[in-house]
Amino acid sequence: MSPVVPRLSLNQETIKQWSLPELAEGCAKAGVTGVGLWREPVQKYGVEAAAELVRGAGLTVTSLCRGGFFTASEPEARATALADNRRAIDEAATLGTDTLVLVSGGLPPGSRDLFAARERIADALGELAPYAADHGVRLAIEPLHPMYASDRCVVSTLAQALDLAERFPADQVGVVVDTYHLWWDDTVADQIARAGAAARIAAFQLADWVTPLPEGVLLGRGQLGDGSVDFRWFRERVDATGYTGPIEVEIFNPALWARDGAEVLAEVADRYRTLVL
């Protein structure tokens, strides 16, 4: 067993080639005490079985991804999304995590109204936040890079995420600080301070920005140190707010998925120690 790596959490998608039992065993061996999980593989394994597996390995579930996709304008689609998010909240509670990450949704087909889409997100949060609070779960709005605004997330900056979150109690709705999505924003230091002052930082995630981006861009997150992001700069500013929670590495990258999982995790941990701490 390796020494514990302080605060490091491994998001499940970073080593997607691992099954849940492999993830639990690999993290425990590597001294990684936290894992971020995704709903689909957890559902396939069984939510209660996954919770038992992770606890048995001595791991903490630092987040569950994902809820959200609130921007549909049709009543039936909105009702379906709300019902799915209530299930996601139930799953998070069963897994023992207090953080459900939200990817809020892009523009509905044929729409160009970003402002109306963001208001529908607020409406959904108003319905879901009390339910989440009753289950010990906080909703965490993740702003995504603007290139995803049309199809995945009309919340593109930390300021926009905070403008939504601040309509609700801080213990019900927070935000995600993800370096991949925010590294480019020259206001991000002020917005991190704003989030921390209001106790809104629900999760802190790392991935690097590497160019050229692949076709489709979704799977373009880079291994720590391979791109443009100054991770220590982000960590110091997040820590300065008083945040002492986990630091979760979340990378979607087929080149990492093609490698041996233990080798990838060892590399993540080494670069985390070198570039983040």
Side-chain angles (χ1 to χ4, degrees):
M1 305 291 284
S2 299
V4 170
V5 187
R7 298 173 66 186
L8 176 60
S9 173
L10 180 74
N11 187 279
Q12 184 174 15
E13 286 291 288
T14 303
I15 307 181
K16 188 176 183 178
Q17 63 270 39
W18 268 354
S19 66
L20 263 173
E22 289 171 331
L23 177 74
E25 180 182 5
C27 286
K29 285 183 177 178
V32 176
T33 59
V35 289
L37 298 181
W38 279 67
R39 293 182 66 198
E40 184 177 0
V42 166
Q43 289 168 350
K44 288 181 178 177
Y45 190 82
V47 180
E48 292 184 0
E52 184 177 349
L53 173 72
V54 171
R55 284 195 301 267
L59 304 175
T60 299
V61 180
T62 56
S63 70
L64 179 64
C65 197
R66 64 190 178 207
F69 292 92
F70 299 131
T71 53
S73 54
E74 300 82 5
E76 183 176 349
R78 290 184 59 75
T80 298
L82 290 170
D84 184 60
N85 276 272
R86 291 188 184 95
R87 287 191 295 272
I89 291 164
D90 295 342
E91 291 162 9
T94 299
L95 292 166
T97 181
D98 61 0
T99 302
L100 176 64
V101 175
L102 304 179
V103 175
S104 297
L107 287 171
S111 173
R112 295 178 176 82
D113 193 340
L114 289 167
F115 302 100
R118 292 182 188 129
E119 281 305 305
R120 287 193 290 274
I121 295 168
D123 291 343
L125 291 170
E127 293 199 39
L128 292 169
Y131 182 84
D134 287 345
H135 289 74
V137 174
R138 179 156 65 156
L139 305 178
I141 304 169
E142 181 172 14
L144 268 58
H145 190 281
M147 65 182 173
Y148 297 110
S150 64
D151 63 342
R152 288 187 175 273
C153 189
V154 296
V155 181
S156 301
T157 66
L158 193 53
Q160 290 169 357
L162 286 165
D163 287 346
L164 285 166
E166 287 169 353
R167 303 189 192 190
F168 308 95
D171 60 348
Q172 294 184 12
V173 183
V175 297
V176 180
V177 176
D178 186 318
T179 61
Y180 179 76
H181 295 301
L182 301 176
W183 73 276
W184 57 275
D185 186 350
D186 63 355
T187 72
V188 73
D190 290 340
Q191 296 305 319
I192 289 171
R194 173 187 169 191
R200 295 282 177 178
I201 300 177
F204 178 29
Q205 296 181 330
L206 309 181
D208 215 337
W209 181 275
V210 180
T211 48
L213 294 172
E215 184 178 355
V217 307
L218 183 62
L219 305 183
R221 293 178 177 228
Q223 171 65 287
L224 309 185
D226 284 356
S228 304
V229 177
D230 186 339
F231 295 104
R232 186 169 289 111
W233 184 94
F234 268 92
R235 196 267 302 159
E236 288 173 349
R237 278 148 187 79
V238 170
D239 282 0
T241 70
Y243 177 84
T244 59
I247 302 174
E248 188 175 304
V249 175
E250 182 187 57
I251 304 170
F252 312 151
N253 190 305
L256 295 185
W257 297 338
R259 291 169 54 190
D260 175 75
E263 178 186 281
V264 173
L265 182 51
E267 183 176 89
V268 166
D270 180 64
R271 295 193 183 194
Y272 173 86
R273 293 186 187 97
T274 302
L275 299 170
V276 181
L277 295 182

